[in-house]
Amino acid sequence: GEDGEDGGRAASARLRPQSVGPPHAASRARGRGDVARPALDRTSRSGEARPRTAPGLSMSWSHPQGRPLEEVKHGSVVQGTVTSSTAAGVFVDFGAVKDGRLDLPRAAHRDFRVGDPIPNCIVAWVDLAASQVCLQLEDLDAVVQELKRIPLEEFREGQIVDGVVAGRTRFGIFVNIGTFKDAKLSAPTSYGFSLSPGQLLKGLRIGRIDLEKGRISVTADAVPA
């Protein structure tokens, strides 16, 4: 019936990649019959994108020593590393002064973790006024497959692994150790205060593995230098 068709169209729209074009081009896009790219979910008063983070674990999408956005050219191919992956979007440090946002279907956000290497990103557009960059992937499925996630079954308790700090939630600090779900970090309070997203942690020890719930934890004994 009509309700079923409307539900199908709504689901399809949620899976459709965001259209390409800087936010301030919205009115011109509508005039051509195109759909304007939605603005970032959260902005500061200056109009710059602001990540969703919990107090105590700082995050920055700015890199003062990076390449100026004026030198980032439309259509160029860059390599990068995921710095943020939330409902607000997936952002990649590709060597510029500001991280670029991947143009992805919302459902694909969950496929990426902080610290993931992202090869062959295509610069879709650069908005110098807003200090924003949009990046695209030529083959999303191939990139996700190349991440080569390790099944939880292949880890063992007591195993030593390295990981990348993914972020903090009200449940604690989580670390990307290469599996399908970030591991919860169990460590002294002083350890947590010294961490930042994207930071590499070496010598973590696998704690509890709960295959039924798909959860894994890691422990750290020493505060990182």
Side-chain angles (χ1 to χ4, degrees), residues 1-57:
E2 294 182 358
D3 291 342
E5 294 177 359
D6 291 343
R9 285 193 293 269
S12 176
R14 286 194 297 271
L15 295 175
R16 190 178 303 125
Q18 298 166 345
S19 58
V20 176
H24 61 260
S27 60
R28 295 195 299 273
R30 293 190 189 99
R32 295 193 301 268
D34 299 328
V35 178
R37 186 186 73 88
L40 295 175
D41 291 345
R42 299 182 74 189
T43 57
S44 65
R45 291 182 179 179
S46 64
E48 294 183 347
R50 186 172 62 193
R52 298 181 178 181
T53 56
L57 195 63

Side-chain angles (χ1 to χ4, degrees), residues 23-85:
H24 61 260
S27 60
R28 295 195 299 273
R30 293 190 189 99
R32 295 193 301 268
D34 299 328
V35 178
R37 186 186 73 88
L40 295 175
D41 291 345
R42 299 182 74 189
T43 57
S44 65
R45 291 182 179 179
S46 64
E48 294 183 347
R50 186 172 62 193
R52 298 181 178 181
T53 56
L57 195 63
S58 62
M59 179 182 291
S60 175
W61 292 344
S62 299
H63 313 283
Q65 304 304 318
R67 184 165 51 140
L69 293 187
E70 290 81 0
E71 297 180 7
V72 179
K73 303 302 181 184
H74 167 77
S76 60
V77 178
V78 298
Q79 325 297 321
T81 302
V82 174
T83 56
S84 176
S85 179

Side-chain angles (χ1 to χ4, degrees), residues 101-124:
R101 187 183 190 188
L102 282 181
D103 182 36
L104 298 170
R106 183 174 294 273
H109 293 180
R110 69 188 67 180
D111 293 325
F112 295 91
R113 302 279 185 270
V114 173
D116 284 344
I118 307 297
N120 303 324
C121 298
I122 302 171
V123 177

Side-chain angles (χ1 to χ4, degrees), residues 151-173:
L152 285 182
E153 291 82 358
E154 295 188 16
F155 290 94
R156 66 182 186 278
E157 294 183 2
Q159 178 181 350
I160 302 299
V161 298
D162 296 336
V164 175
V165 178
R168 183 200 296 270
T169 72
R170 62 191 180 92
F171 300 107
I173 296 174

Side-chain angles (χ1 to χ4, degrees), residues 112-161:
F112 295 91
R113 302 279 185 270
V114 173
D116 284 344
I118 307 297
N120 303 324
C121 298
I122 302 171
V123 177
W125 52 259
V126 180
D127 187 338
L128 296 178
S131 295
Q132 295 177 358
V133 179
C134 178
L135 304 173
Q136 290 183 322
L137 299 174
E138 186 173 356
D139 190 336
L140 171 61
D141 291 337
V143 171
V144 171
Q145 186 174 5
E146 275 300 309
L147 293 175
K148 297 179 180 178
R149 304 292 185 200
I150 304 171
L152 285 182
E153 291 82 358
E154 295 188 16
F155 290 94
R156 66 182 186 278
E157 294 183 2
Q159 178 181 350
I160 302 299
V161 298

